[in-house]
Amino acid sequence: MAKLDRYPPMLLDERPIVLDEPGWIYELKLNGYRVLAEFGGAVQLRTRNGTDATTWFPEITQSLGTLKSGQCVVDGEVCVFDQAGRSDFSQLQDRGARGRYPGGPNVVYCVFDLLVHRSVDITQQPLLERKAALAGIFKKRPRPYIMYVDHFETGAAQLFADVVIPMKLEGLVAKRAGSVYQPGVRSSDWVKVKRSAIPARQVART
């Protein structure tokens, strides 16, 4: 088994960025707990700070344990979604404090990157290749409590205008399509784009 302490999460930069610049992809920004997971044997979950979270979210651990994909390490975010489909951090905090309880919300592990695929480290492969392999595991064979985070290659500004702003979402994450995964590095290849960071005039023009 690969050790998760070899893979601290790659961190987001926060700086001005022009949406829909060629060579970038965009994902909806989620509001949850950053968690890396290892499966394909004994399942392990690890938080951004390195805390063992394997027992915190039994529905996720059990779901990952059913996969027959060989040994893998993935990066993602554990979220609770409200009725409108928005990630709700306050509900997640409540679930984290109380554990899984009758009538309480289920969590969803939203996976967006693949670092180890069938025991092979693929962090140096381009992001779009890693995401294609990730989709082969989760998008084509859905599992309960696991969600593959899809991406957009065009239309990010329109997505801001039509979805992010009216639904009051956190924003977007912009990533260079050819970027490698740099464990523990805050890289300019991954950029946090908050809802308040895009001027209304820029969204309106697109």
Side-chain angles (χ1 to χ4, degrees):
M1 296 290 284
K3 294 184 178 179
L4 285 179
D5 55 13
R6 298 176 186 170
Y7 298 99
M10 184 170 168
L11 303 176
L12 300 175
D13 194 8
E14 188 172 346
R15 59 182 174 81
I17 188 171
V18 177
L19 295 178
D20 293 320
E21 184 178 347
W24 291 76
I25 68 169
Y26 304 87
E27 299 166 349
L28 289 173
K29 187 179 182 303
L30 301 169
N31 195 3
Y33 294 154
R34 186 81 175 271
V35 171
L36 279 83
E38 181 179 4
F39 56 92
V43 177
Q44 297 180 45
L45 304 180
R46 192 74 63 85
T47 70
R48 169 179 170 170
N49 296 323
T51 302
D52 187 342
T54 307
T55 62
W56 294 6
F57 310 111
E59 61 267 53
I60 293 173
T61 303
Q62 291 163 13
S63 189
L64 289 174
T66 67
L67 284 161
K68 307 297 182 184
S69 55
Q71 185 228 358
C72 296
V73 172
V74 297
D75 193 357
E77 200 145 354
V78 173
C79 297
V80 169
F81 290 95
D82 65 16
Q83 292 182 344
R86 298 169 296 197
S87 53
D88 187 326
F89 193 70
S90 63
Q91 284 197 64
L92 178 62
Q93 286 182 308
D94 182 63
R95 167 62 199 271
R98 298 176 62 183
R100 198 176 189 186
Y101 58 93
N106 287 313
V107 292
V108 178
Y109 187 33
C110 305
V111 291
F112 51 72
D113 212 330
L114 180 63
L115 316 186
V116 175
H117 189 209
R118 297 179 177 175
S119 301
V120 177
D121 184 312
I122 63 169
T123 55
Q124 298 307 296
Q125 292 184 13
L127 172 60
L128 284 182
E129 292 184 16
R130 301 196 309 271
K131 291 210 59 145
L134 183 68
I137 298 172
F138 291 105
K139 192 173 181 180
K140 295 180 181 177
R141 294 172 288 174
R143 288 292 189 276
Y145 311 113
I146 313 290
M147 184 181 79
Y148 169 77
V149 177
D150 224 325
H151 63 276
F152 306 84
E153 297 186 40
T154 60
Q158 197 65 48
L159 184 69
F160 238 87
D162 294 346
V163 178
V164 173
I165 292 175
M167 291 189 66
K168 298 182 179 179
L169 303 182
E170 288 286 302
L172 297 177
V173 176
K175 299 178 178 179
R176 289 190 190 274
S179 61
V180 301
Y181 192 96
Q182 303 175 68
V185 173
R186 188 175 301 280
S187 171
S188 60
D189 287 341
W190 287 17
V191 181
K192 181 192 308 181
V193 186
K194 290 184 177 180
R195 187 175 72 244
S196 59
I198 303 298
R201 62 182 182 276
Q202 180 178 331
V203 174
R205 282 202 305 267
T206 57

